[in-house]
Structure formats: structure tokens, C-alpha cells
Amino acid sequence: AVTPREAAVDVMKDLQGHYGWLTDEGVVEAAEILGLSPLQVEELATFYEMIYRRPVGKKVIHLCDSISCWAMGCETLMEHMAKRLGVEPGGTTADGIFTLLPCSCLGNCGNGPAMMLGDNMYEKLTPDEADKILEIERRKTGESPA
Amino acid sequence: MEQVLFRHNKPGRPVTFAEYCAEGGFAALKKALAEMSPDDVQQAVIDSGMRGRGGAGFPTGRKWSFVPRNLPGPRYLICNCDEMEPGTYKDRVLLEKNPYLLVEGMILTAYAIGVEHAFIFIRRGYETPAANLRRAITEAHEAGFLGKNILGSGISVELDLHLSAGRYICGEETALMNALEGRRANPRSKPPFPAIKGLWESPTVVNNVETLSNVPFIISHGPTRFKELAKLPEASGMKLFCISGHVNNTVCVELPLGMTLGEIIDGPCGGMLPGRKFKGCIPGGAATPYLTADHLNLPMDFDTVAGVGSRLGTGGIVVFDTDTCMVGATLNLTRFFAHESCGWCTPCREGLPYVREILTRIEAGRGVPEDIDILAEHAKYLNYAFCALAPGATGPIEALLRLFEDELREHITKKCCPFRR
Ligand SMILES: Cc1cc2nc3c(=O)[nH]c(=O)nc-3n(C[C@H](O)[C@H](O)[C@H](O)COP(=O)(O)O)c2cc1C
Ligand code: SF4
Ligand code: FES
């Protein structure tokens, strides 16, 4: 590293890992660590797809809606998952477990529709498989099925 | 078929450092440090005729030659591994199989242009490539290929990783430099070009993962050998193609430049999915205008694809069957570009949502004939933008109007999308 502010993304990711999302407190703390003003951190925080400046569920689902996944039916999958979770795209389930977000190309275009859930990548997803994955992930959090 | 980037690949796992070295890895670095001056390395890359693999196809050696030679102060090299162009996943596959080519290629490039500190900028979601690179960098350090006084040559190079958090514009080279510095990733004005004033105001070269990974072969086997791997006399080298969409095998393969589109689809891709017919494709990532069945005999190289009004781009081919609605596809692509607009300049920030709305209307069966003229005119305005994102976004729009006007008109006259059942 050449300058402290180079670490901005790493610092924001770590604070997000700690709080679950990048809270107002988190922004102030990041600013102190990086020697920036909170506004300068805000400018960065709002720029990136994977930095959450609003509360999210315990697990964030990023479902790719770019062209290759579109060709393989990601629109149907998004509708299915939204219905299954009972949220609009962008929303968080009532139990606070899942947030469902459409996202840009995940670099897994040959295996569409592709999805990232937390740090895990899922490929060639069908609605049935998506249901199973949601069930497994929900169980991991120790909550009972919705 | 001779492979350059995939020659060390092992099935189902990355190649190890020991295997890479045993199969001739780091021979190019040893050769360059022992027998070649930095200018010789640069000249070899110029002679190879290699063009950048990041999308724009700029000659790599020429780009390096713009870096001033005798200025005091640091110079930087950045490897662009943002790879967020929809339809493109070649850099990920390459780094999952072999991170050492990139490490060796970057040390050679740093030597050629006098760089002591180089960076690899990696997108979010590429944690496996990042882990592979971290390991490769440590191993290269331990073997004396990185760090101070490499192999006793007096040359020093450090290599750092920078992990991003997801935003397409970070792949634009000047935006990338802002992102790396920890600033909001809006593009910078050009001129001054990065080769003169780049990262921290110092001369900087930005190259793609695949571009840099080809450098060791050019040095170890010679520029002529590299050039002659291509299938056309004007072309140079091999290219990674990553295919997605309606084919049997959606693979990432290394092929000679100049193979035809049809040969790629029928060969490594195993043809179209059962019962499907080829309608068209995006040849090289979201920003490249469509090709159609008329282009199946087109050799895939930079100049040949440019000759029919498109671009080779990244080599990310997205194949569409005859049931695909091209208005829908263009709407999807425009939505992507509008979403990823960084908001800095008006033609892009305001223009792309406007075009998206028109396409949404047409796709929903609410279009009017005048919309087609508005689209055509507006696609031109997008070219007045500050960076190449918005001009790239016109690619699919312009191609929709040029190649699929009948489909557009059918949406308008039938007042619905003819492909939705
Ligand atoms: C919006 C936008 C996104 C880009 N994304 C990438 C990218 O992810 N990877 C890349 O190598 N080049 C990308 N480029 C091209 C780079 O600006 C630059 O031309 C390239 O990294 C140069 O490498 P090359 O000469 O080796 O091709 C992008 C360009 C634009 C305008
Ligand atoms: S063209 Fe778009 S991405 Fe590029 S500077 Fe303008 S607003 Fe930003
Ligand atoms: S288009 Fe979905 S992963 Fe690339």
C-alpha cells in the first residue's frame, strides 16, 4: 500500500462484516481509520454494489440479471424466488434472514442463471434447486421454515 | 492444437508452482533478465503484434512505448481483473487454472517499462482467483522471482492485490485508478493519458489479465512463433473465447484468432442446444454489436469483426436462438448500462434511462412508430459522453436498428412482444 485511503474498500467490507451492513456508525469509524471525512467514505460506500448502506438480512442473495443469465431464464427465477420469499426484488424477508437483490454479471455467464448467496456461488439454477438452497441456508441460521 | 495460456492446465485443479516451473515456467523471466534489455522485451511484444485482450484491442507493445523513459519518480503497472462485462468470464477461468502466467507476465512487463510496484485489481466474486494469486505471489517471492534484486539482477518488483466491491465502471482504466487510490471511481479526463499521468499522477500502464499472461510465451518462444499461431496472416496469437447462451457446451477455450464464428459454435461448443436454431450473438461482451447467421463464416479477429460493424471485444460470445426476442435482449443490455452508469456526465446518466424507457415501452407493446427514429437519434447522442461506457452501450441499440428492425416494427404493429407466449 502507498496511501491509507487505498484500504477504503477493505475497511468498509470489514465493518460491514461486523455490523451486518455499513451502518452510520460504521461510516464514521471507517473515516477515522482511513483519515477521511465521513462524507468521503459515504461517497465510496454508495458506489459499490456489495457495500450495503441500508439494513439487509443475515444472508444477501445476489441474483444475476445480466444478458447470459437472462438468456437462460433468470427473469422467471427472480419471480419465483420473490414469490417464495414473499418479498419484492430488493426486499428483506419478514424474519430478517434473506435479502433478495438483482445484480450485474457475476462472471459465471457460462453457468447461468448464476447467483451468489453470501460468499457462495450457485450455478445453472432451476426454481426447484433455488428452493432447496433457501431451505438449507435458512436451516443453517437456526430458524424454522417460513 | 498448441495452447499458450492453457498449456499447463490440469483437470479439475489449478497447476502447482512446482509443475509450472518444471514445464518451463519462469524460463521467460530468466531469459529476459540474463539476455535481454528492457527495450528488447518491449520490442519483442511490439513485433508479436499482440493486441490488448481487455476489449479495445490496442497494440500492447505500442501502449508500453508511450511511457516516458527518463523521468524521475515511480511508474506503475496495473492488471485489470475487473471483468464485469456481461458475457465475459475468461479471466476468471484463466486465473482459476493458472495464476503463474499472470505473475510472470507482470514481472516481465514491469522489467520492460521500469516499474517497481505493480497492482492487480480484482472484482468482487473472484475470491478463488484472488486466493490463487496470493499463493502464487508468495511462492514467486520465496523463489526469488519477486521482491528485491530478482535473481541477482538488481531489478526489484512488488506485486499487490486490490479487491474491489462490484461496479462495472471500475474496469475503465482511469476509473480503475481512482478506485485503486480509494477515490470514487468516476473516470478521469484523457488527456493526460495514463502513460503520462496515471496512478498517483505517475506514468501508468493498464493491461488485461489475458494480455499480460501472454507475455511469457512471447519472450520464451519468440514473437514470430506467437504471431503465427493465428489462423489469418494479419492476426496474431491465440485468444480466449468464453461462450454462453443457447449452445450445448458453454466453455472457455483458447483458440487461434481467425477461426470462424461457425467453427467455434459447431466445434468446442458442440452446436446449438437440441431443437434450437442460431439467430445471432454478441461477439465479445455486452458492448459489442450483434452478429447474425450471415456472419457464421466470419473469421473472429479484431479487424475482421470490425469490418462488419461490430467488435471482437473481450471474446465473450453470447449465443441466442431463434426464440430470443432481440428487443428484450437489447432492453436487458441497456438496463445494465443505465444501472452501471457512474452518473458523472449527462448524455449517459440521463440518456441511458431514456433509451431504456423507450425500449421498455416497445417490449410491453406500447411503442409507436416514431419511437424507432427517436432511438436512432438518441443512440448518436450517447457518443458525446465523457467515457467509453455510453458509446459502448450504443452497440446493441445500433445493431438492433440495423439488423432486427423488422422485429422492432412487429412489436409496434402487433402491440405485444411476438416472442412471449
Ligand atoms: C466501462 C468499461 C469497462 C471496462 N472493463 C474492463 C475490464 O473489466 N477488464 C479489462 O481488462 N478492461 C476493461 N475495460 C477496458 C480498459 O479501459 C482498458 O482498455 C484495458 O484494461 C486495457 O487492457 P488491454 O490493453 O490489455 O486490453 C473497460 C472499459 C470500459 C469503458
Ligand atoms: S459515460 Fe457514463 S460511466 Fe462514463 S463518465 Fe459518463 S456517466 Fe460515467
Ligand atoms: S451474465 Fe450472469 S454471470 Fe455473467
Side-chain angles (χ1 to χ4, degrees), chain B residues 3-232:
Chain B
Q3 301 275 282
V4 173
L5 301 173
F6 282 176
R7 59 174 26 207
H8 305 282
N9 285 6
K10 307 286 173 260
R13 63 172 175 91
V15 62
T16 66
F17 183 70
E19 286 166 339
Y20 180 70
C21 292
E23 295 168 16
F26 290 102
L29 179 64
K30 289 178 192 157
K31 176 178 169 184
L33 292 179
E35 304 167 16
M36 298 169 84
S37 70
D39 280 341
D40 292 341
V41 174
Q42 182 172 305
Q43 193 59 45
V45 174
I46 292 175
D47 292 343
S48 77
M50 176 167 59
R51 297 172 63 166
R53 270 43 174 163
F58 195 86
T60 305
R62 249 216 5 261
K63 183 186 274 188
W64 296 359
S65 74
F66 297 148
V67 174
R69 279 300 151 128
N70 302 315
L71 281 182
R75 275 165 261 240
Y76 296 107
L77 168 66
I78 305 173
C79 170
N80 191 342
C81 184
D82 194 51
E83 190 157 77
M84 284 199 53
E85 182 85 17
T88 310
Y89 58 97
K90 65 186 177 74
D91 297 340
R92 175 178 60 79
V93 172
L94 175 56
L95 291 173
E96 281 177 1
K97 294 192 176 284
N98 185 351
Y100 302 106
L101 284 168
L102 178 61
V103 171
E104 186 178 0
M106 287 188 75
I107 305 168
L108 283 164
T109 307
Y111 177 59
I113 53 184
V115 162
E116 296 198 332
H117 198 165
F119 297 86
I120 306 174
F121 186 95
I122 308 182
R123 61 163 291 170
R124 161 78 177 154
Y126 280 19
E127 276 71 23
T128 307
N132 287 353
L133 280 166
R134 213 171 274 127
R135 196 180 58 243
I137 289 170
T138 309
E139 289 163 330
H141 258 287
E142 283 164 2
F145 298 138
L146 262 177
K148 295 232 173 325
N149 191 18
I150 295 171
L151 302 174
S153 64
I155 302 291
S156 303
V157 180
E158 288 300 336
L159 198 47
D160 277 344
L161 300 185
H162 179 102
L163 273 59
S164 188
R167 193 76 196 255
Y168 174 59
I169 193 62
C170 293
E172 197 281 335
E173 56 184 10
T174 60
L176 188 158
M177 294 184 299
N178 276 336
L180 224 164
E181 289 181 17
R183 298 172 195 282
R184 195 170 163 100
N186 298 116
R188 300 175 179 175
S189 73
K190 294 193 252 187
F193 286 92
I196 310 296
K197 243 183 181 190
L199 196 61
W200 295 295
E201 310 261 290
S202 297
T204 303
V205 166
V206 181
N207 276 130
N208 173 259
V209 175
E210 184 186 350
T211 310
L212 292 165
S213 298
N214 272 310
V215 174
F217 184 93
I218 295 172
I219 300 306
S220 59
H221 291 69
T224 315
R225 188 67 192 287
F226 180 82
K227 187 167 178 0
E228 286 174 351
L229 289 171
K231 261 188 114 178
L232 296 173

Side-chain angles (χ1 to χ4, degrees), chain A residues 64 66-69 105-109 114, chain B residues 86-87:
Chain A
C64 173
S66 293
I67 191 71
S68 307
C69 294
C105 178
L106 288 167
N108 205 349
C109 326

